Amino acid sequence: MKKILFLLVVLYCHSLSAQKNYKADVIIYGGTSAAITAAVQVKRMNHSVIIVSPDKHLGGLSSGGLGYTDSGDKTVIGGLSKNFYERLYRHYQKPEAWKWEKKEDFGNKGQGTVALDSQTGSMWLFEPSVAEAVFEDFISENEITVHRDQWLLRKPEGLKKEKGKIKSFQTLGGNTYKGKMFIDATYEGDLMALAGVSYTVGREANSLYDEKWNGVQKDVRHHRHYFKTKVDPYVIPGDAGSGLLPEISGQPPGENGEGDDRIQAYCFRLCMSNHPENRIPFPKPQNYNPSRYELMKRVFETGWNELFEKFDMLPNRKTDTNNHGPFSSDYIGKNYDYPEASYERRAEIIEDHKQYQMGLLYFLQNDPSVPQLMHDQIQEWGLAKDEFIDTENWPSQLYIREARRMVSDFVMTEGHTLSERPVNRPIGMGSYSLDSHNAQRYVTEEGFVQNEGDIGVHPKKPYSIDYGSIIPKAEECQNLLVPVCVSASHTAFGSIRMEPVFMILGESAATAAILSIKNKSSVQDLPFELLRAELEADGQILEKK
């Protein structure tokens, strides 16, 4: 017992000695693409900055598998966000960049645009490792201090706040970070929440913001991610008493247009390869049980044959593999508690997603129920051997499509993204469709399985994003900016949540932070014309002429 107590005292003293205090003009919490552009902008404006990142790898989803860029209207992507894609273009002009295929053999089709865009010098499709290298170049070129694997202490004592301003926050390791301005650039919004800023999780009722596509959306068929034919949901077909198949909820779906706390599904954006020398077989997960994928088998039995629809090709015979169809990589309904969950619970949710998705791939490659043609084709694929090397070729970043969303004095809504309501303080633009993945899989009144929550509404034209959406209410916090978990309704966030936009908003948030320091004002009282002039000078595109 004495020995154990002695060891505990030694460990405690060691932890105290390891605790350090750090200070900068701007403290950025998060390792996403928005965090990087924010930090670069702070340095460009000649101020000090520290990135405090819970992640070891920088770039979030932009380096975590999402290489098939959701670009929307590429002409409204400016500033550092545009520079990111220009750097990718320059990389892929080099002959040595094409290791697993010839450049001329790579198709030049991106998502709604060409991939290698010679007119603008941009590349919209890219490998994860290449994107991460670009982010690391941003860091080294600008001599940005990054503290990795530093997790916010999500307890009251983890943050000090005086007179409506954050003074400092603490990490689990005991480090303290003091700044004049703070930016929460995480997908989860943990710093925002700890600072006492209002937020929401889930879908609002349509009545709240006078919207059409928010809340429950039964029978909406904007994409092909639903059951086109009648599929029995029960273990023994036709026998409700036998219980539901795995991955189907027994809860009622709710009424159309009403709000709930459900959030759109997450998945890993896997980087696969069909090059024999650069692929490894899909691993068999722990506790693999093929019966978990009985619903996939029943989908095949309906004649569904779109398995490879979203194996979107990247350079070097790799993919950004996304969800597609009624039963796919989206792990529907298994993430509801993620936004508010403890770190330990989040780790469990992430691992559960990994086991589900890994099991699905193993099922497709090995189960005799998979139709022969698909079975033969899937054998040509595996995880890319030269990507995500330190995590066994599996992305370390789960696609957190949506978590917390700030609720400020200004809320971006469906009407703003559809250009039906004015935006008076533009700090960047979005253009992608109002896109939400399914939020639940349920049993219909007729007794068949169906998905709900998938929407895709195209804006009439690119729209501006208001400055008010990245700043809290003044009475809640005066020196915090939130460029990722922005103040937006569920439907509006469905468009804003694209990686190019996060980078745009990260840069704008940093600009506002520095101007607020110079102006000795809160972020709420910063004269907008000062901000506008600086953003335009830096090449940000604020409005579509």
Side-chain angles (χ1 to χ4, degrees):
M1 185 65 181
K2 290 183 179 179
K3 185 177 181 180
I4 294 174
L5 288 173
F6 174 76
L7 289 173
L8 289 173
V9 170
V10 170
L11 289 171
Y12 176 72
C13 292
H14 175 73
S15 66
L16 288 178
S17 66
Q19 293 173 7
K20 295 182 180 179
N21 298 316
Y22 298 94
K23 184 178 180 180
D25 293 321
V26 180
I27 304 295
I28 299 171
Y29 183 61
T32 62
S33 59
I36 309 307
T37 55
V40 171
Q41 181 65 2
V42 172
K43 293 290 284 192
R44 290 200 317 186
M45 297 182 75
N46 299 312
H47 281 66
S48 59
V49 64
I50 299 174
I51 293 178
V52 183
S53 173
D55 310 302
K56 295 179 182 178
H57 296 278
L58 302 179
L61 257 295
S62 285
S63 60
L66 206 166
Y68 188 71
T69 305
D70 301 309
S71 54
D73 186 334
K74 62 188 179 183
T75 65
V76 300
I77 299 173
L80 289 168
S81 183
K82 178 62 162 48
N83 184 247
F84 171 75
Y85 299 104
E86 291 170 343
R87 287 169 177 248
L88 292 167
Y89 179 87
R90 292 195 291 271
H91 170 82
Y92 285 109
Q93 297 306 306
K94 303 173 184 177
E96 60 268 27
W98 299 89
K99 181 178 181 180
W100 302 111
E101 69 177 334
K102 296 179 180 178
K103 180 181 177 183
E104 54 268 28
D105 292 336
F106 176 65
N108 200 29
K109 183 180 179 181
Q111 188 173 175
T113 181
V114 295
L116 276 162
D117 186 354
S118 58
Q119 289 187 336
T120 63
S122 306
M123 176 53 156
W124 304 103
L125 308 185
F126 48 87
E127 300 155 273
S129 56
V130 174
E132 186 173 0
V134 170
F135 286 122
E136 291 293 349
D137 286 343
F138 274 134
I139 296 300
S140 59
E141 290 170 14
N142 293 279
E143 299 181 333
I144 295 168
T145 300
V146 182
H147 292 184
R148 305 173 198 243
D149 200 20
Q150 289 292 323
W151 299 76
L152 179 67
L153 176 61
R154 293 165 57 196
K155 295 181 179 180
E157 63 268 28
L159 183 140
K160 289 186 178 180
K161 190 174 170 185
E162 295 177 9
K163 298 179 180 179
K165 291 185 177 182
I166 301 172
K167 292 299 180 181
S168 65
F169 68 76
Q170 189 176 343
T171 58
L172 292 179
N175 290 348
T176 298
Y177 296 89
K178 184 177 181 180
K180 299 175 182 177
M181 288 285 162
F182 294 81
I183 296 175
D184 185 338
T186 63
Y187 292 122
E188 295 85 1
D190 284 341
L191 181 60
M192 170 189 74
L194 188 61
V197 171
S198 298
Y199 63 86
T200 189
V201 175
R203 304 182 287 187
E204 298 93 348
N206 275 324
S207 58
L208 182 60
Y209 297 121
D210 190 23
E211 296 178 304
K212 180 180 179 180
W213 302 109
N214 212 333
V216 176
Q217 295 287 325
K218 292 183 297 184
D219 303 319
V220 171
R221 303 286 183 263
H222 289 170
H223 299 115
R224 289 177 283 163
H225 310 318
Y226 63 95
F227 290 83
K228 297 180 180 180
T229 57
K230 296 178 178 179
V231 174
D232 194 290
Y234 301 112
V235 174
I236 300 174
D239 181 4
S242 64
L244 292 169
L245 289 175
E247 320 313 337
I248 302 175
S249 171
Q251 297 299 312
E255 297 302 320
N256 279 348
E258 78 178 9
D260 59 21
D261 58 2
R262 299 181 178 103
I263 55 177
Q264 58 180 309
Y266 300 165
C267 71
F268 287 94
R269 297 290 284 254
L270 297 184
C271 187
M272 301 180 184
S273 173
N274 65 356
H275 195 292
E277 297 178 31
N278 193 39
R279 69 181 185 216
I280 61 171
F282 299 129
K284 184 177 182 178
Q286 298 174 355
N287 304 317
Y288 171 71
N289 184 350
S291 66
R292 187 177 192 181
Y293 307 99
E294 174 66 23
L295 194 54
M296 179 90 262
K297 178 181 176 180
R298 294 186 188 183
V299 171
F300 286 141
E301 289 171 351
T302 69
W304 186 81
N305 61 356
E306 302 173 17
L307 179 61
F308 302 99
E309 183 80 12
K310 289 299 291 178
F311 281 43
D312 293 313
M313 296 306 300
L314 306 177
N316 286 308
R317 292 176 61 173
K318 299 176 187 177
T319 69
D320 168 359
T321 306
N322 196 10
N323 174 83
H324 179 75
F327 191 96
S328 185
S329 57
D330 275 1
Y331 195 26
I332 299 173
K334 302 303 174 71
N335 60 346
Y336 297 158
D337 60 332
Y338 180 89
E340 302 274 35
S342 66
Y343 292 134
E344 293 78 11
R345 175 59 185 146
R346 284 181 185 169
E348 292 173 356
I349 294 170
I350 292 169
E351 180 61 24
D352 191 28
H353 278 70
K354 180 179 179 180
Q355 292 294 313
Y356 163 79
Q357 205 164 334
M358 191 181 288
L360 177 61
L361 292 170
Y362 189 83
F363 172 87
L364 293 172
Q365 208 160 51
N366 294 278
D367 199 277
S369 68
V370 176
Q372 191 63 45
L373 180 61
M374 294 186 199
H375 178 273
D376 292 344
Q377 289 179 303
I378 197 69
Q379 305 309 315
E380 300 174 7
W381 293 95
L383 298 177
K385 189 186 297 185
D386 60 353
E387 296 288 346
F388 308 117
I389 295 172
D390 63 347
T391 52
E392 299 180 319
N393 311 106
W394 196 273
S396 58
Q397 175 67 62
L398 180 64
Y399 192 178
I400 310 301
R401 289 188 171 95
E402 186 173 5
R404 296 184 180 100
R405 301 187 311 280
M406 181 167 62
V407 179
S408 191
D409 290 326
F410 181 94
V411 179
M412 285 290 294
T413 66
E414 194 176 291
H416 297 106
T417 60
L418 299 180
S419 301
E420 297 168 352
R421 296 178 183 175
V423 169
N424 297 319
R425 296 183 292 174
I427 56 169
M429 299 194 75
S431 63
Y432 199 80
S433 63
L434 283 67
D435 181 77
S436 174
H437 284 231
N438 281 305
Q440 60 178 325
R441 180 179 289 128
Y442 67 101
V443 179
T444 66
E445 293 179 359
E446 293 78 22
F448 300 102
V449 61
Q450 192 52 269
N451 298 333
E452 183 277 320
D454 183 84
I455 61 169
V457 179
H458 295 278
K460 304 168 188 175
K461 59 182 181 179
Y463 59 89
S464 297
I465 300 169
D466 198 281
Y467 177 54
S469 67
I470 68 168
I471 56 175
K473 298 173 183 178
E475 63 269 23
E476 293 181 347
C477 194
Q478 299 171 24
N479 66 337
L480 173 69
L481 297 111
V482 186
V484 176
C485 295
V486 298
S487 180
S489 71
H490 163 71
T491 45
F493 191 76
S495 175
I496 296 170
R497 67 182 180 85
M498 304 306 155
E499 288 290 304
V501 180
F502 283 158
M503 284 188 267
I504 290 168
L505 297 181
E507 179 181 351
S508 294
T511 304
I514 299 307
L515 290 178
S516 295
I517 292 173
K518 291 182 176 180
N519 203 52
K520 297 182 180 179
S521 71
S522 67
V523 294
Q524 291 84 6
D525 291 335
L526 175 68
F528 177 68
E529 290 309 314
L530 288 179
L531 176 58
R532 182 184 188 117
E534 189 73 35
L535 295 177
E536 290 179 336
D538 289 334
Q540 290 275 53
I541 300 170
L542 309 185
E543 296 171 303
K544 191 73 171 176
K545 304 298 183 184

